[in-house]
Amino acid sequence: MQLRTLQKILWSAAAFATLAFGLWQFSQDRGPSVGEQAPFRPTFALPDAEGQLRTQADFEGKYLLVFFGFTNCPDVCPTTLAEVAQVMDDLGDQAANVQPLFISVDPVRDRALGLAEFTGAFHPSILGLAGDDTQTRAAADSFYIHYERQDDTTAPDGYSMSHSPALYLVGPDGEWLRQFSYGTPAAEILADLRSRL
Amino acid sequence: MKTQIISTLILMAASPAIACESTTFGDLSIANPWSRATIGAGRPAVFYVAITNDGASDDALVAISTPAAGRPMLHETTVTDGVASMPHAMSIPLPAGQTVQLAPGGYHGMLMGLTAALKEGETFPVTLTFEVAGDVTVNAEVLSLRVEGPDCETDGQ
């Protein structure tokens, strides 16, 4: 009888440990979210449309609004960049303290199609960055975001890009502050920025 | 605040007429066909519309075609585990009594192989093919690259 109780306790402990380990692993797979993860500073070194290498250090003192996407994307990317453009307009004078970045996850094709022309069509303040595969992967990893080429015969050139569609906010000291999930209204992003500026 | 009000008024004044039109086709009503201006003709354009099925039986949107693009297709943006992808949609179900939106972040028409850049203010015809109801053509209005959708609530329709 006593053994049975002990067995029960041991089995419960094993089950609890398995569950805890599973939850821990699950949380490791997720991107960072406020309050769950130690503060971190994303880094990147990517050329702009003119070929000049830009890093996070170039923007010290400014808030960064960072979006990873590709210019051939007809739905998610224009919707988000249109919101960023609206936020920048509505910020007025305070816009000088915010730098929106568009980081291409499809750099070769985006360069061929015209990177500056694309970002400029939404707002002149948006800076497009497109590096090589290694630079792009390193930037994405440092933001803990995912992107992947997907072969798709129904897409232009036979492929599309899947990517994390959120907008990321980095503080003036380079610290990752939060993400705005896809579809967050421009007014909400604006209010958040205004509360910090 | 003042500039916000003024820009809102300007937006209203420029409120698109065609993008706010609704076409009735049997039991289906097709409203707000619109698209975004494109930068050149090298990138795909988009097509959005709202379809209401007032009938007693289900239908489905199975294809779109337009002289504006060589390869128009139906796609769906899906966000799974924080990653957005855009698979081809073979058919978009239109359950009886419901409205289905082709709208930013969800179902949309992807217009590949544009014959020319889409310019704000232009319109172009899009033929919708329904599984049951057949074909109907509507005119889509090209709106600014920066809008989130047509602003139709102020013109009394």
Side-chain angles (χ1 to χ4, degrees), chain B residues 41-82:
Chain B
R43 299 184 182 87
V46 77
F47 170 69
Y48 299 121
V49 70
I51 304 163
T52 303
N53 181 358
D54 288 319
S57 53
D58 299 346
D59 203 337
L61 177 63
V62 292
I64 52 171
S65 62
T66 172
R71 291 181 68 209
M73 307 204 98
L74 297 171
H75 280 256
E76 182 183 15
T77 296
T78 58
V79 181
T80 311
D81 291 334

Side-chain angles (χ1 to χ4, degrees), chain A residues 52-126:
Chain A
Q52 194 191 333
L53 199 68
R54 306 289 198 125
T55 75
Q56 71 287 346
D58 299 347
F59 306 104
E60 250 179 50
K62 285 190 178 191
Y63 285 88
L64 292 179
L65 266 181
V66 184
F67 180 71
F68 287 81
F70 62 114
T71 77
N72 233 3
C73 144
D75 184 39
V76 166
C77 308
T79 305
T80 303
L81 290 183
E83 285 190 357
V84 170
Q86 193 59 50
V87 168
M88 293 307 285
D89 276 355
D90 292 345
L91 277 173
D93 292 345
Q94 292 178 311
N97 301 318
V98 180
Q99 175 63 57
L101 297 179
F102 173 83
I103 297 179
S104 171
V105 295
D106 187 15
V108 174
R109 184 165 64 176
D110 282 349
R111 282 199 175 278
L113 287 167
L115 188 64
E117 182 194 30
F118 179 78
T119 54
F122 291 93
H123 202 275
S125 69
I126 303 174

Side-chain angles (χ1 to χ4, degrees), chain A residues 30-46:
Chain A
R30 303 269 135 174
S33 58
V34 180
E36 276 179 16
Q37 186 149 338
F40 72 100
R41 290 163 200 271
T43 57
F44 54 87
L46 297 157

Side-chain angles (χ1 to χ4, degrees), chain B residues 6 13 18 23-24 26 34 43 47 55-57 60 67 71 76-77 89 99 106 112 129 132 136 141 148 152:
Chain B
I6 291 167
I18 286 169
T23 307
T24 305
W34 67 283
R43 299 184 182 87
F47 170 69
S57 53
R71 291 181 68 209
E76 182 183 15
T77 296
T99 298
M112 293 180 283
T129 302
V132 181
V136 64
E141 178 161 352
E148 285 168 38
C152 299

Side-chain angles (χ1 to χ4, degrees), chain A residues 126-137:
Chain A
I126 303 174
L127 181 65
L129 302 176
D132 59 26
D133 284 346
T134 313
Q135 291 167 326
T136 308
R137 187 57 72 185

Side-chain angles (χ1 to χ4, degrees), chain B residues 109-132:
Chain B
M110 176 150 88
L111 312 179
M112 293 180 283
L114 286 181
T115 45
L118 299 182
K119 294 196 175 63
E120 185 176 345
E122 290 177 351
T123 62
F124 62 92
V126 179
T127 301
L128 309 174
T129 302
F130 296 101
E131 197 170 57
V132 181

